[in-house]
Amino acid sequence: MSVYILPIKVAFIMFGVLGFLLVIPWLVYSYRKYGFFSLWASIVAYSFIFYMLSALFLVLLPLPSTRNTCAFQSPNTIYYSLKPFTFIRDIFKETSIIWSQPRSYIQIFNQSAFWQAAFNFLLLLPFGVYLRYFFQEKRYWKRALALGFTLSLFYEVTQVTGIYGIYKCPYRLFDVDDLMLNSTGALFGFLMAPVILALFPSKEKLLVKAKKMQKSHLVPPLSQLLAVLIDFIFIKLTFTFTIGLLTSSGFAEMMYITVGFLVLYFVLPLLWGGKTIGTSMMRFKLSNLEGDAPSWQALLKRTVALFLPWLASMLFNILDHMKLEIESHFYAIHVWVTMGIFTLVSIMWLTLSIHAVFVMLKKGKRTFYFDHVAEIVPRKKEANS
């Protein structure tokens, strides 16, 4: 059993890393495709990633302890089996079934060859279920069979090449039976998928809701926050790969991000008719109450409202990293000032978090504070066309 538990543990760790890195890209994709955040679509996407990682690691792990795998194999080792249905012969060769005694049939479950074949059949069965969810119609069964065969062939080639040359000799067998069982499992999963998918929301309902959301003029609150976050990430990335490569100065970073706030949240929407990089990716723009492009005064208010929480956090971070000797006359003042700012910053972020939750519960009928103070309204581009 540990042979199967190890790959799943590794897949879980890798899934955690990939899942974290893909959160923002997935949310952007989800809002661009459906116009709202679908929990069910997210579950399908993330579970598919976890399944594919688990299947890959089940095929490859555990890895040999050395690259020189040839040293542990005889010179006449055969790395492939091209004779089909060998697994049937292996099962009956090991079994102690007496055909005249039906009670003995249960002995087949004690044979390792049977479980090996069953594992290969079940390995890509979920893959077929996912394909049925994506393709929907039964007439695509040939495509599902071809994709199952292609994926299985990828696994087998990866094994027989020693993970494409990482290991000097293959450490697992290329078996044509595995190709057959994997592909059949994928096809079986595709055909029996409606029984499983009937228990969950259908893709058709998701698409119907997407069309309804696209007709609405309201911009989902999470989409608005993503737009703000995308702009900020752009500022951070440009610093990291430009000035950040030349200096680690906190002051330089603070000045760069300050200028970045001014450019991304004020200058760009002023010149681009209320659009920023983030709002363009999320398919909406900023406008005034009349639906026109916001004035420079409104955009400046919005920029300041976004900038101040970040500035307060940066000032606390600078104070917290200041080192004073305990004998210094300013030590007590530094401690009290730092604690005071920490308290204020904590209250500020708690308030903003409660505010964000409240706005999200309103589902776009109420704007965030930075748009409210500037009398700016996020509007979908299609609403004005």
Side-chain angles (χ1 to χ4, degrees):
M1 185 61 69
S2 60
V3 175
Y4 301 106
I5 293 177
L6 174 63
I8 294 175
K9 285 183 178 179
V10 175
F12 185 80
I13 295 172
M14 290 296 297
F15 170 75
V17 175
L18 281 176
F20 176 77
L21 295 176
L22 293 175
V23 166
I24 293 179
W26 166 251
L27 288 174
V28 172
Y29 169 81
S30 182
Y31 274 104
R32 286 179 65 88
K33 183 174 179 64
Y34 304 114
F36 68 102
F37 172 71
S38 170
L39 179 60
W40 170 239
S42 301
I43 291 174
V44 171
Y46 272 77
S47 63
F48 180 69
I49 293 173
F50 178 70
Y51 160 70
M52 293 298 287
L53 287 172
S54 298
L56 178 62
F57 292 136
L58 282 167
V59 170
L60 298 182
L61 298 181
L63 297 174
S65 58
T66 175
R67 288 189 60 195
N68 187 19
T69 48
C70 301
F72 301 97
Q73 301 169 4
S74 60
N76 59 345
T77 299
I78 298 176
Y79 301 111
Y80 53 87
S81 174
L82 302 180
K83 187 176 181 180
F85 303 109
T86 303
F87 73 94
I88 297 178
R89 183 192 63 191
D90 293 339
I91 291 174
F92 288 107
K93 182 174 65 176
E94 296 179 7
T95 189
S96 56
I97 291 176
I98 301 174
W99 296 107
S100 60
Q101 298 180 12
R103 291 183 180 180
S104 67
Y105 294 174
I106 198 172
Q107 296 298 322
I108 196 172
F109 295 109
N110 296 327
Q111 311 305 322
S112 59
F114 169 81
W115 288 113
Q116 181 66 28
F119 166 78
N120 282 305
F121 177 80
L122 294 174
L123 181 65
L124 295 192
L125 189 147
F127 182 66
V129 176
Y130 280 109
L131 290 179
R132 185 61 176 270
Y133 177 81
F134 298 140
F135 294 153
Q136 293 295 301
E137 298 183 25
K138 184 180 179 180
R139 61 190 177 94
Y140 291 116
W141 68 268
K142 293 181 181 179
R143 188 178 301 181
L145 179 62
L147 288 173
F149 178 83
T150 302
L151 182 59
S152 178
L153 183 62
F154 165 73
Y155 291 154
E156 296 299 316
V157 171
T158 302
Q159 291 176 334
V160 80
T161 57
I163 312 185
Y164 305 101
I166 293 178
Y167 297 96
K168 292 184 178 181
C169 289
Y171 63 95
R172 289 193 180 179
L173 182 72
F174 180 101
D175 195 341
V176 70
D177 281 345
D178 292 350
L179 285 171
M180 293 168 52
L181 289 166
N182 291 162
S183 304
T184 305
L187 178 60
F188 183 78
F190 183 85
L191 296 176
M192 56 96 58
V195 178
I196 300 175
L197 296 178
L199 303 174
F200 304 99
S202 66
K203 191 175 181 180
E204 287 85 354
K205 290 183 179 179
L206 181 64
L207 295 176
V208 169
K209 185 176 180 180
K211 290 182 180 179
K212 182 179 178 181
M213 291 297 297
Q214 289 168 1
K215 293 179 180 179
S216 173
H217 71 280
L218 296 176
V219 180
L222 186 55
S223 181
Q224 300 175 41
L225 288 181
L226 276 172
V228 173
L229 182 59
I230 289 169
D231 290 330
F232 182 74
I233 290 175
F234 182 83
I235 297 171
K236 290 285 288 185
L237 287 178
T238 54
F239 171 80
T240 301
F241 293 105
T242 54
I243 297 177
L245 297 175
L246 305 175
T247 178
S248 59
S249 170
F251 179 76
E253 181 180 3
M254 183 176 178
M255 294 305 299
Y256 184 94
I257 293 180
T258 299
V259 174
F261 264 91
L262 188 64
V263 172
L264 265 292
Y265 296 109
F266 175 68
V267 176
L268 189 60
L270 187 63
L271 300 176
W272 206 4
K275 294 183 291 182
T276 69
I277 295 174
T279 62
S280 295
M281 291 184 66
M282 302 310 297
R283 294 181 174 174
F284 72 90
K285 63 181 180 178
L286 307 174
S287 65
N288 59 22
L289 298 178
E290 288 74 32
D292 301 320
S295 64
W296 70 267
Q297 296 95 332
L299 289 173
L300 184 60
K301 288 180 181 178
R302 183 177 187 270
T303 303
V304 172
L306 286 167
F307 178 70
L308 288 179
W310 176 84
L311 179 63
S313 300
M314 282 296 296
L315 291 175
F316 166 73
N317 189 53
I318 292 172
L319 282 174
D320 187 50
H321 284 80
M322 288 180 61
K323 303 299 180 183
L324 292 178
E325 298 293 334
I326 195 169
E327 293 83 6
S328 172
H329 296 294
F330 299 100
Y331 182 80
I333 297 175
H334 173 261
V335 171
W336 283 107
V337 170
T338 302
M339 289 299 298
I341 294 180
F342 171 75
T343 302
L344 291 175
V345 169
S346 299
I347 293 173
M348 175 192 71
W349 283 112
L350 177 61
T351 303
L352 291 178
S353 299
I354 295 173
H355 165 70
V357 171
F358 180 74
V359 173
M360 288 186 183
L361 291 176
K362 289 294 182 178
K363 298 181 179 180
K365 297 179 182 178
R366 183 183 178 91
T367 56
F368 287 102
Y369 78 96
F370 45 81
D371 288 329
H372 179 74
V373 297
E375 296 185 336
I376 285 178
V377 179
R379 296 183 188 275
K380 292 183 179 178
K381 295 179 184 178
E382 294 77 9
N384 293 333
S385 60

